[in-house]
Structures are given as structure tokens and as C-alpha cells.
Amino acid sequence: MKEQWIAFQTLVRKEIIRILRIWTQTLLPPLVTQALYFIIFGKFIGSQVKAIHGVSYMSFIVPGIVMMAVINSAYGNVVSSFFGAKFQRNIEEMLVAPMKEWVIVAGFICGGIIRGLVVGALVFLMSCFFTHPTVYQISIVMVFMILTAAVFSLAALINGIFARNFDEVAIFQNFILVPLIYLGGVFYSILSLPPTWQNFSKLNPLLYMVNGFRYGFFGFSDVSVPFSTALLIVLTVVLWQVNIWLLKKGIGIKN
Amino acid sequence: MVAIEINNLVKTYKTGTKAVKGVDLTVAQGDFFALLGANGAGKTTIISILIGLVNKTSGTVKIFGHDIDREFDQAKRLMGVVPQEFNFNMFERVGDIVTIQAGFFGIDRTNALKSSEEVLKKVGLWEKRTAMARTLSGGMKRRLMIARALVHKPRMLILDEPTAGVDVQLRFGMWDYLRELNSQGVTVLLTTHYLEEVQQMCRNAAIIKEGEIVRLDSVRNLNKLIKQETYVIAVKKMQPLSGIESYHPVVVDEHTFEVNLNRDEQLNDLLIKLMEHGFDITDVHPKEQRLEKLFLSLL
Ligand SMILES: Nc1ncnc2c1ncn2[C@@H]1O[C@H](COP(=O)(O)OP(=O)(O)OP(=O)(O)O)[C@@H](O)[C@H]1O
Ligand SMILES: [Mg+2]
């Protein structure tokens, strides 16, 4: 058990070194993109949008934009780190060692969560240049940030396990993740949508993450916060099990 | 105690290729063992199964008595692996690569750092510890993999073509190091295409053809099967090669020529003859023969 703990620490340390080594790819780009969102949506367009639940549009979009950065960073970190290890074959360093599957999963997931949290915190700090940030309940903010980062890290690991080339690394992020995020209520409250679209939006898991997170800032949400929390926990557990099963089977990494 | 015990090992890849077709093999603890065979014979596949990179189709494998189906973790702790192809992250630092591998084996950081310093010094890469792996030469990269394989002090070292792309000087250094390890009790299993490597280091060998072991014998016995051996002779100054025509000499450059000796001919006789003819010999060594030659005489 001590041995597994050391292996886990080693993998997390390795992931942190990687994040810091290529910070121009891991930390900088989300800051630039999210700054553009603040400027374009918050300042230029937001000035013409009326307050939502008494919160200015600029403030309203802060949690969504932070969450977007958390999701993209966590996902991107795990999928590229794992696929990179497969591609350069240094994943074999883990396979020849007596490392349990859960240690490998936990190590990569921690890397994703750490990058998600760091980027999320930086984007939130950046939002202070555009608006007065408020936090209603910090514990909810943290729970949603960590669980969301965990869910997308786990999803990214599955993506990395199955990916056979760099296209398959990018494809999920571009064609599924980005639309889900945009339609997940980052820039609007779904209560302003026609009923059909409201119901349709409720099929999108991102809606629950963004709204739960937003609740932590302002104390209002389009959907039930306990339900959102439960959904995140269920997703984490299920995706965790899927990953363990895939690694045990050696899918994508062993012949 | 046996280091490796393989019974009826079969591997069929998803593509349908039958890479290993019922191999039985036992390697004694402390042995220096060669796995020989032409390209595609199945050597890497067998090794990959031993170390957990490829799932076997059927059969059993025991490493120092640990069945890999039940006690793979115990088995893994006892093995160090130098794969055929570079498999480290080219963008990591040399020192980190070795230390991280130790960590994956559950060695705490203090000891991991100590052990990685030890092995990096041993393979002559300590000065390069902060260099990015990508910037190493081919031979250095191979030595890096040897250091990484040894960082957890395994009882058996498995090397898949360890000297491919390594210059002669370095190769001798590596041989010395492997011999030293073996004399300390580390079992060594290696694959190679160089006959000289087998003759200089290995005690026993198995020859694999198309996924089956066609011969398993001591290197001494296998040597007897080689009907002819080529030697490279270096001299201070070249002169007409008269009087030794029966050895079919071939001039390589102004300082070296090659001769062929049959099994029943003594190298010493030839050397005496050369000296009588006034040759100033500076070096004599067997030419590296592609092992395929040996297989041709065997199969
Ligand atoms: N991942 C794979 N998928 C399908 N077939 C494979 C795979 N790896 C190896 N093979 C096939 O299995 C056979 C044995 O290959 P292997 O790599 O074990 O040979 P080898 O003896 O190591 O050869 P070499 O001396 O060239 O390294 C070959 O026919 C090869 O094409
Ligand atoms: Mg091979």
C-alpha cells in the first residue's frame, strides 16, 4: 500500500512538472481565450443585456467562463498527457512497474484536477478586472469545481485510452465538448428560453455543472443544486469504474 | 531456483499473426541467456509477455516462481527491462526519467534519488542528468534505458537488442557492465543479432524460428556448429598478402584485412605465419557476423 502511495505521488509530481514545463500551452491559452469572452460577451454585448436575477450580465457569466476553463483544462491535460505517454510509449514505464490500475487512473485524474483548479483560479482572478466578484458559498464553488474537473478528467482518460492518433484526441473536444459547454447555459439562463429548448437543455449534463457552480457564487440556479451534486458524484463513480475496467483489460495500451 | 519458466506459451495478435506458437523455456537463476532469431521470429513478443506489455493468448509464465497470472506485481519487482525501441518521454530530463521510474516501483524519493544517481554514474550519464532526453545521442539513449531498468535493483535484467546503434567502444563498455552485473548474481536475458555478442557474453541460447524454439543449447555447443569464422586483422602497414591465400584474405583498407578460418584451423597458426611474413599485427578480433549466417547453417 505504501508502495502504491509512492507511485501515486510520483505520477502526480510528474504531471505537475509537465504542466509547469509547458505552461505556455497549459496555463496561458485559457487565460487569453477567457479574457476575450469577458471583453466580447461581458463588455461589448453585455452592456446591452439587462441584469439576470439582479446580477449584471458581466457578473452572471463569470462562473460559466471559469467553469469552461476548468473543463477544457482538466480534459485537455489528461487526454494529451495520457495519449502522449501512449504515443511516446513511456506509458510502459507504468506497465512494467507493479502499479495498480487505480493508481494510474488517480494519478492522471489528479493532474487534470490540479490544472483545472489552477486555471480556474487564474481566470477567476482575471474576472476581477472586469467586475466585482461575489462568492455566496465557497464550499459549493469548490465542490463543483473539483467534481467537474474530476468528471472531465475521467472522460478525457477514456478518450486517451481509445485514441489511436492526434485527430482522435481533438475530435471529442471539438465536436462534443465545446457544443455542450456553449449550450450548457454559460452565457444565458435557460429560463429565458422557450419551454422546448429548456427541456432539451436539461439533457445536457453541463447545465447542471455550470448552474451548481453559479449557485455557489450568487445563490440562484436554473436547476436543483442537490440533484446536480448527485449527478456529478454518480458520473464520477461510473467513469472511474469504466477507466479501471479499461486499464485492467489493457484496452488501447496492450496487445 | 529458476528465473524464468515458460510453458506452452502462445500469442496470436488481433491481426491474426501467430507470433508465438507453444514455447517452452526455462532460464536458470544467474544465467546469461540469449534469445536468438531472425526478424519477426517472436523474440520481442515473448519478452513483452514476460514484462506485462502484451497479454498472452495462453500458456503459463513464472518469474522466480511467481505466476504472472496471479502474482504479477511480485514478478515485476524482480525484473528490469531495456526495450528494443526508445520508450521514454523525449521531453523529460534524464535524471527525472530514472527517478520517476524508481517512484513507480514504490521507492521513496530519497532512495529513488540516491539509486538513480548510482545507476546514472554507472552508465556514464550523470553529467547529463539535467539534459532533455531528446538531446542525447543514440548510444546515450540506450544507456539511459539501461540505467532506468536497473534503478529498482532487479534480480533479472531483460534486454531487447541492447547494442543496436551503439558504437564499438561503447558496446565493449556495455558488455563489461553486463558481465559485472551477471557476476553479482543478476540473471540476464537478451536478444541480439550479433554473434560476437553471444559468444562473448552468453552461456546459453535459444534459437527461435517463426514463433517456435528450434534449438536450445549452450553457446559452447552452438559455437561448434559454426563452420567458418571471419577475423579482422589490423596491421601497421599493409603488404602483399602472399602465403596465406588458403585463408581467403580480403583487404578492407590500408591497415586491415579479413581472413576466414575453418573450424579445424587455429588462429595461432595463422598469426605465426603472418609474423613470419613480416606483418606487424596491431589487433585481431572476430568479425561481427550477422547471426542469420549461423541460422543458415543450423536450419
Ligand atoms: N502489435 C502487433 N500486432 C500484430 N502483429 C505483431 C505485433 N507485434 C509483432 N507482431 C508480429 O509478430 C511477429 C513477431 O514479432 P516480434 O516483434 O516478436 O519479432 P522479433 O523476433 O522481435 O523481431 P526483430 O528481430 O525484428 O525485433 C511478427 O510477424 C510481427 O509482425
Ligand atoms: Mg524484436
Side-chain angles (χ1 to χ4, degrees):
Chain A
M1 193 57 210
K2 175 148 178 282
E3 192 184 47
Q4 300 299 329
W5 174 242
I6 292 171
F8 167 74
Q9 283 176 316
T10 306
L11 181 49
V12 173
R13 175 195 296 271
K14 179 178 150 97
E15 287 299 289
I16 294 173
I17 292 175
R18 179 182 168 277
I19 292 168
L20 296 177
R21 185 180 65 225
I22 50 171
W23 64 277
T24 52
Q25 294 165 49
T26 53
L27 303 178
L28 200 55
L31 292 182
V32 175
T33 337
Q34 305 317 84
L36 287 173
Y37 283 122
F38 284 132
I39 294 168
I40 295 169
F41 285 91
K43 270 219 158 9
F44 300 167
I45 299 176
S47 57
Q48 296 158 39
V49 179
K50 62 178 195 303
I52 300 169
H53 295 287
V55 173
S56 77
Y57 186 67
M58 176 59 107
S59 297
F60 177 83
I61 61 172
V62 168
I65 287 175
V66 170
M67 192 54 115
M68 192 193 241
V70 171
I71 292 172
N72 279 325
S73 298
Y75 195 93
N77 201 68
V78 176
V79 74
S80 48
S81 180
F82 190 84
F83 182 73
K86 240 170 73 166
F87 184 74
Q88 299 208 55
R89 298 181 56 175
N90 56 305
I91 185 86
E92 293 176 3
E93 292 171 348
M94 288 171 230
L95 301 181
V96 300
M99 269 170 98
K100 299 285 184 209
E101 288 76 13
W102 66 263
V103 172
I104 298 179
V105 176
F108 277 102
I109 278 17
C110 273
I113 293 176
I114 289 168
R115 177 158 147 210
L117 293 189
V118 170
V119 169
L122 291 174
V123 172
F124 180 70
L125 285 179
M126 191 170 67
S127 76
C128 301
F129 290 112
F130 300 93
T131 178
H132 260 299
T134 56
V135 177
Y136 173 72
Q137 215 173 326
I138 185 75
S139 54
I140 299 227
V141 168
M142 289 315 291
V143 164
F144 271 80
M145 192 143 77
I146 291 171
L147 282 178
T148 305
V151 165
F152 283 94
S153 297
L154 286 160
L157 191 55
I158 297 178
N159 188 174
I161 287 172
F162 281 107
R164 283 164 300 181
N165 50 51
F166 285 102
D167 286 341
E168 292 179 358
V169 167
I171 206 160
F172 185 85
Q173 224 168 345
N174 290 338
F175 291 101
I176 299 184
L177 201 53
V178 170
L180 282 182
I181 293 174
Y182 281 113
L183 298 172
V186 168
F187 296 108
Y188 52 83
S189 161
I190 60 160
L191 300 180
S192 62
L193 299 177
T196 335
W197 280 101
Q198 275 191 34
N199 289 331
F200 191 64
S201 294
K202 284 182 180 158
L203 297 175
N204 181 354
L206 268 293
L207 180 76
Y208 301 89
M209 303 176 189
V210 171
N211 271 282
F213 192 55
R214 186 176 285 140
Y215 181 86
F217 286 89
F218 306 121
F220 62 77
S221 165
D222 293 349
V223 294
S224 149
V225 176
F227 176 80
S228 302
T229 318
L231 179 71
L232 274 172
I233 292 172
V234 170
L235 280 175
T236 307
V237 172
V238 171
L239 291 172
W240 172 273
Q241 291 300 339
V242 171
N243 273 297
I244 298 282
W245 183 80
L246 289 171
L247 285 189
K248 279 213 164 109
K249 281 259 163 193
I251 288 170
I253 50 171
K254 286 190 200 181
N255 285 303
Chain B
M1 173 65 102
V2 289
I4 304 176
E5 194 183 333
I6 298 176
N7 278 307
N8 201 13
L9 185 66
V10 175
K11 174 64 192 182
T12 309
Y13 282 106
K14 278 196 214 91
T15 53
T17 309
K18 289 189 165 62
V20 182
K21 307 171 187 162
V23 160
D24 294 305
L25 180 67
T26 305
V27 175
Q29 181 168 355
D31 202 352
F32 207 126
F33 195 95
L35 219 46
L36 310 174
N39 289 128
K43 306 179 294 293
T44 300
T45 303
I46 294 176
I47 287 178
S48 302
I49 292 170
L50 297 185
I51 60 180
L53 299 183
V54 166
N55 289 329
K56 61 187 164 60
T57 305
S58 65
T60 59
V61 176
K62 283 184 188 165
I63 307 291
F64 293 105
H66 299 292
D67 189 323
I68 64 166
D69 288 326
R70 290 193 303 271
E71 306 177 325
F72 213 165
D73 286 353
Q74 281 100 310
K76 283 176 178 175
R77 278 180 207 116
L78 304 173
M79 292 185 283
V81 198
V82 181
Q84 184 168 2
E85 280 156 47
F86 301 132
N87 71 339
F88 43 79
N89 186 337
M90 292 288 169
F91 299 97
E92 270 172 19
R93 294 182 193 287
V94 169
D96 288 343
I97 288 175
V98 180
T99 318
I100 286 169
Q101 180 71 85
F104 287 163
F105 272 97
I107 298 167
D108 67 65
R109 192 150 172 83
T110 319
N111 285 313
L113 287 168
K114 212 160 43 182
S115 182
S116 89
E117 178 176 344
E118 232 167 75
V119 288
L120 282 172
K121 280 185 173 157
K122 201 74 208 178
V123 301
L125 284 178
W126 180 239
E127 273 67 44
K128 291 276 184 188
R129 63 191 176 280
T130 56
M132 220 181 245
R134 187 166 53 92
T135 66
L136 297 183
S137 72
M140 288 176 186
K141 284 181 181 139
R142 222 154 262 289
R143 282 184 283 153
L144 168 58
M145 295 207 294
I146 295 183
R148 187 185 58 181
L150 291 169
V151 75
H152 61 294
K153 302 190 170 67
R155 275 166 69 186
M156 174 163 61
L157 187 59
I158 299 177
L159 309 104
D160 201 350
E161 297 192 31
T163 52
V166 174
D167 70 37
V168 177
Q169 197 74 32
L170 262 175
R171 179 171 302 165
F172 290 151
M174 251 156 84
W175 288 359
D176 284 341
Y177 186 34
L178 292 179
R179 274 196 214 101
E180 183 190 326
L181 283 169
N182 183 242
S183 70
Q184 292 163 0
V186 176
T187 309
V188 182
L189 172 74
L190 64 76
T191 75
T192 179
H193 286 288
Y194 298 115
L195 180 58
E196 196 190 357
E197 203 154 281
V198 181
Q199 292 172 327
Q200 295 283 324
M201 293 196 293
C202 302
R203 268 191 290 284
N204 295 296
I207 298 177
I208 302 172
K209 191 191 175 194
E210 292 164 15
E212 283 171 296
I213 293 188
V214 291
R215 183 143 194 155
L216 200 151
D217 212 333
S218 67
V219 170
R220 188 194 302 246
N221 284 341
L222 288 173
N223 255 333
K224 291 186 191 144
L225 297 164
I226 303 170
K227 299 197 177 60
Q228 226 182 32
E229 190 149 23
T230 307
Y231 285 90
V232 181
I233 297 179
V235 291
K236 270 236 173 73
K237 202 169 147 292
M238 188 60 78
Q239 44 180 329
L241 296 166
S242 50
I244 56 162
E245 287 87 353
S246 65
Y247 296 100
H248 305 288
V250 179
V251 177
V252 180
D253 58 39
E254 68 253 49
H255 293 293
T256 40
F257 60 93
E258 294 176 3
V259 288
N260 288 306
L261 260 75
N262 289 328
R263 267 278 138 218
D264 52 359
E265 289 171 321
Q266 293 295 317
L267 181 61
N268 251 350
D269 296 341
L270 169 66
L271 296 180
I272 290 168
K273 218 176 252 175
L274 284 170
M275 285 192 277
E276 280 169 359
H277 282 80
F279 281 95
D280 196 349
I281 301 168
T282 55
D283 185 38
V284 179
H285 64 89
K287 186 183 179 178
E288 270 165 17
Q289 276 179 306
R290 298 289 292 175
L291 269 165
E292 279 72 9
K293 255 194 177 170
L294 167 64
F295 305 142
L296 287 181
S297 70
L298 272 176
L299 309 172

